[in-house]
Amino acid sequence: MEKRNLPERPGWRDEARELGFTFADMGGEPYWDETSAYRLTLRQVEEDLEAPCNELHQMSREAVARVIADDEWLTRLAIPAEHWDFVAESWRQGEPELYGRFDLCYDGEGPAKLLEYNADTPTSLYESASFQWLWLEQQQALGVLGPDTDQFNSIHEAMVARFGEIIAAGEEVHFAADAQNPEDYATVETLAWAAREAGLGAHFTDLAQIGLSEEGQFADAESRVIGTLFKLYPWEDMLRDDFAEQLQSSGTRFLEPPWKAILSNKGLLPLLWEMFPGHPNLLPAFFMDEVAAVLSGGTPAARIARGWDVAQSQLRAGHVTKPLFSREGAGVSIFQDGRETASTPDDTYSHHPMILQALAPLPEFDGFHPVLGAWMVGEECCGLGLREDRARITHNLSRFKPHFIEG
């Protein structure tokens, strides 16, 4: 994997505005940055990213089944007890999933390491699925990239096929997000575009405008009953929301399904390590309250002893602490040699329980640290988006970088 400096396309910002990519610059800094791009080989994509992510996803599904059968794990993952049956039944009924994104540490050598799984409300979808593909085609047409270059990106096509698999043709789907957030709107509009190609009706609705009818059904601002709802709103909030009591009785079908609440928090990471200790694509991870005494020289509890023993060599290199629920690096701290060496000032989520994860230092390319986002649609890995940050912890103003396959 290498980072290659490339000329920008003439007039790309004007084209971005015309296409509705209004957040290509944010906070006075570039968000979409095509002054350089990451080059990967086909072997790296197929063997180091695609195949491992398909395996990680299957492991994650095994983890869901484990949690559904274990009240202790439902408690550990902060699923409100009054919704255990709602979450469990969605899994038992086989309610289908739509998409997710694995965030990985990878430098082109050795196994990619899972940092976290954004399994419920991942954004950066438009730039991954659409705008970077346009970049590839136009750079090939300009002769900047060779005609034999490619990109790991069949996200849109996979989305169209997935909608066709899980929703009957002609059905109406509501896509809900915060109307004031352009990145969130772009994400749901990208999904709605795929849904329309799959022969479905697609309506955008502002999250704040969803209400409850007299019959106890969710409805949009035009009083249309919502039969199927894609919501860019995380399950950890939905299960604690004012309407939480009506989620099950409303009859609405949700994308992502309720069982995604099990995968949408960092507690998945200790669970995966307990189930698959030593897996080459996992980093050792534990709940802080289980290992605090061990870090001070105590003995690990029997339940985590095996995973702790396997983790010793990796933990000596350092560790990271993360809140159970957090977004875009908020509440994350890095520790090395017993001291904190990096942290984010945003403590929005720091009141939640914390996990500890072994440190996988992000590689550095020209002063930036990339994180690879591998996109899952259904149960297949089908694309890649890269973000990079000057900081060692990826923030909300990181830069999105295009990639191409060569060699």
Side-chain angles (χ1 to χ4, degrees):
M1 188 170 84
E2 67 171 312
K3 185 177 179 181
R4 187 176 295 177
N5 292 329
L6 298 172
E8 297 180 82
R9 293 166 294 159
W12 74 260
R13 281 186 170 81
D14 292 335
E15 186 169 23
R17 282 190 291 270
E18 291 173 6
L19 292 171
F21 189 9
T22 59
F23 52 98
D25 294 291
M26 291 193 293
E29 291 282 334
Y31 169 60
W32 171 271
D33 182 2
E34 60 178 70
T35 58
S36 57
Y38 283 88
R39 170 194 171 273
L40 296 100
T41 67
L42 185 61
R43 186 208 64 79
Q44 288 172 328
V45 168
E46 292 181 341
E47 297 180 15
D48 292 351
L49 301 174
E50 182 180 13
C53 285
N54 287 335
E55 183 178 358
L56 286 169
H57 184 72
Q58 290 306 311
M59 291 160 56
S60 298
R61 289 180 61 87
E62 290 181 44
V64 175
R66 166 79 175 273
V67 172
I68 291 298
D70 189 336
D71 290 357
E72 182 180 353
W73 269 107
L74 286 164
T75 302
R76 269 278 175 211
L77 297 181
I79 309 296
E82 61 270 25
H83 298 300
W84 286 359
D85 289 344
F86 177 49
V87 170
E89 190 61 21
S90 72
W91 174 255
R92 296 188 188 110
Q93 293 296 323
E95 293 185 12
E97 60 194 303
L98 181 60
Y99 81 135
R101 191 190 73 226
F102 286 112
D103 284 349
L104 307 167
C105 175
Y106 180 68
D107 63 0
E109 302 289 339
K113 297 294 186 180
L114 175 62
L115 301 174
E116 58 189 61
Y117 188 15
N118 295 282
D120 187 22
T121 57
T123 55
S124 76
L125 183 62
Y126 169 74
E127 42 279 41
S128 295
S130 182
F131 203 71
Q132 74 164 339
W133 184 257
L134 177 65
W135 168 87
L136 177 74
E137 291 183 321
Q138 292 182 344
Q139 292 290 49
Q140 288 174 328
L142 291 166
V144 173
L145 295 176
D148 295 330
T149 55
D150 201 354
Q151 190 175 90
F152 183 32
N153 188 359
S154 59
I155 303 169
H156 176 71
E157 295 81 1
M159 283 287 188
V160 174
R162 185 61 175 166
F163 276 118
E165 292 167 357
I166 66 176
I167 301 177
E171 187 172 329
E172 301 292 316
V173 182
H174 282 74
F175 291 86
D178 177 1
Q180 304 305 311
N181 186 316
E183 185 177 4
D184 287 4
Y185 179 79
T187 296
V188 296
E189 186 52 39
T190 300
L191 292 167
W193 174 28
R196 295 183 189 106
E197 283 199 24
L200 307 178
H203 308 284
F204 174 78
T205 185
D206 189 347
L207 276 168
Q209 297 300 314
I210 295 177
L212 202 64
S213 72
E214 292 181 359
E215 292 77 22
Q217 297 172 301
F218 290 116
D220 64 16
E222 298 178 30
S223 299
R224 291 177 296 198
V225 171
I226 300 174
T228 298
L229 175 67
F230 174 86
K231 80 293 174 299
L232 203 66
Y233 184 47
W235 274 110
E236 67 262 24
D237 292 336
M238 284 187 67
L239 295 177
R240 294 165 174 82
D241 175 289
D242 291 343
F243 291 119
E245 291 183 5
Q246 285 78 33
L247 290 172
Q248 189 165 10
S249 61
S250 69
T252 297
R253 178 189 186 188
F254 296 101
L255 292 173
E256 298 295 325
W259 61 261
K260 276 289 189 88
I262 293 171
L263 301 184
S264 66
N265 69 71
K266 309 300 187 295
L268 172 67
L269 302 171
L271 173 57
L272 287 174
W273 185 254
E274 182 174 312
M275 294 177 67
F276 307 99
H279 189 282
N281 298 114
L282 293 179
L283 292 166
F286 306 90
F287 288 96
M288 277 295 296
D289 62 357
E290 289 187 324
V291 299
V294 187
L295 292 173
S296 302
T299 303
R303 187 171 67 80
I304 66 168
R306 180 185 173 207
W308 185 262
D309 289 343
V310 176
Q312 290 301 301
S313 61
Q314 294 183 68
L315 288 172
R316 277 194 287 272
H319 68 268
V320 176
T321 60
K322 302 177 178 181
L324 201 63
F325 304 115
S326 70
R327 298 288 186 276
E328 298 176 323
V332 175
S333 297
I334 298 175
F335 294 84
Q336 294 171 280
D337 299 322
R339 63 185 183 86
E340 185 180 286
T341 58
S343 64
T344 54
D346 185 351
D347 62 355
T348 306
Y349 300 94
S350 297
H351 60 286
H352 292 295
M354 305 291 287
I355 70 154
L356 175 148
Q357 184 183 46
L359 175 65
L362 297 176
E364 183 174 341
F365 292 83
D366 298 330
F368 285 86
H369 305 278
V371 169
L372 280 66
W375 289 95
M376 304 296 302
V377 175
E379 298 185 39
E380 298 294 328
C381 185
C382 59
L384 185 66
L386 286 90
R387 292 168 297 140
E388 64 175 18
D389 204 308
R390 291 188 180 92
R392 297 169 65 197
I393 301 170
T394 307
H395 297 75
N396 62 335
L397 293 180
S398 59
R399 299 184 178 192
F400 189 97
K401 303 294 293 188
H403 79 277
F404 63 98
I405 298 172
E406 183 180 67

